[in-house]
Amino acid sequence: DGGITQSPKYLFRKEGQNVTLSCEQNLNHDAMYWYRQDPGQGLRLIYYSQIVNDFQKGDIAEGYSVSREKKESFPLTVTSAQKNPTAFYLCASSIMGTGWGEAFFGQGTRLTVV
Amino acid sequence: QKEVEQDPGPLSVPEGAIVSLNCTYSNSAFQYFMWYRQYSRKGPELLMYTYSSGNKEDGRFTAQVDKSSKYISLFIRDSQPSDSATYLCAMSARAGGTSYGKLTFGQGTILTVHP
């Protein structure tokens, strides 16, 4: 079945550590996104990528980094510079071009700083 | 000011009621409009997708877009307890615009339909 797979589902991080969240899609979508969701804040865009080896900062990119070496994969690293990383992280993908608009989401990774 | 504004609610209605959810936006380049439903601790799923102005109906759901007022709505008829979720509006710009390829979401409205 086609879809987006995020792993792990739950992740615990000690202060000062970097952690990487995985996102893989087999939908052959060009664009991929990372969002952060906090209670009462909706979804805030961290990074997005429209093509392999290219990505753009979203609204809250500080303390995060990404790579897009393959079309199917868009991992997100939460660095120690991110001061408040505890949140629900969502990865999404969509087609580009005429008719673009529908984004498919993974089931999320809940990151907790301990 | 946020590009997309959505009343977070919470909204509580009895089963069978008509629900109206709304978003306003400020970016005139937005041309793709979407509504997502998110159950607790899950990823959002697409409910409705509309391009430019007009209405679109799918079963009990109707999406309306009024670009002149920069206002979009989602109506749910005969609401059911299973409709209880967070509803998120999302938008993006036409090709060539500075926001093309970037989805911008509202805060989400928490809806509870009680039996």
Side-chain angles (χ1 to χ4, degrees), chain B residues 52-101:
Chain B
S52 196
S53 286
N55 293 358
K56 185 174 184 178
E57 188 173 320
D58 184 2
R60 297 185 295 111
F61 298 91
T62 300
Q64 288 185 351
V65 175
D66 182 349
K67 291 191 72 180
S68 63
S69 301
K70 296 189 177 66
Y71 188 87
I72 70 169
S73 301
L74 177 71
F75 297 95
I76 307 174
R77 292 183 298 280
D78 188 26
S79 56
Q80 302 295 310
S82 58
D83 294 328
S84 298
T86 297
Y87 290 80
L88 300 142
C89 63
M91 310 177 187
S92 186
R94 59 186 173 272
T98 55
S99 296
Y100 182 60

Side-chain angles (χ1 to χ4, degrees), chain B residues 11-88:
Chain B
L11 186 61
S12 181
V13 302
E15 184 175 355
I18 296 174
V19 176
S20 172
L21 304 167
N22 312 294
C23 288
T24 59
Y25 63 95
S26 57
N27 187 345
S28 58
F30 285 149
Q31 202 162 18
Y32 301 95
F33 304 93
M34 291 142 275
W35 285 95
Y36 286 83
R37 177 175 61 196
Q38 184 179 24
Y39 292 113
S40 181
R41 300 179 183 271
K42 301 290 186 183
E45 56 178 337
L46 184 70
L47 268 181
M48 301 287 283
Y49 162 58
T50 53
Y51 171 71
S52 196
S53 286
N55 293 358
K56 185 174 184 178
E57 188 173 320
D58 184 2
R60 297 185 295 111
F61 298 91
T62 300
Q64 288 185 351
V65 175
D66 182 349
K67 291 191 72 180
S68 63
S69 301
K70 296 189 177 66
Y71 188 87
I72 70 169
S73 301
L74 177 71
F75 297 95
I76 307 174
R77 292 183 298 280
D78 188 26
S79 56
Q80 302 295 310
S82 58
D83 294 328
S84 298
T86 297
Y87 290 80
L88 300 142

Side-chain angles (χ1 to χ4, degrees), chain A residues 39-67:
Chain A
Q41 298 253 15
L43 273 66
R44 292 185 290 167
L45 183 64
I46 304 172
Y47 270 97
Y48 66 109
S49 167
Q50 298 181 20
I51 195 169
V52 173
N53 292 323
D54 188 41
F55 46 83
Q56 289 78 40
K57 292 182 179 180
D59 301 316
I60 55 164
E62 186 175 352
Y64 300 98
S65 65
V66 293
S67 62

Side-chain angles (χ1 to χ4, degrees), chain A residues 66-88:
Chain A
V66 293
S67 62
R68 188 87 187 275
E69 297 177 1
K70 298 186 299 181
K71 188 175 184 178
E72 303 79 18
S73 179
F74 192 41
L76 173 74
T77 296
V78 184
T79 75
S80 56
Q82 171 49 239
K83 297 306 177 189
N84 185 22
T86 295
F88 189 47

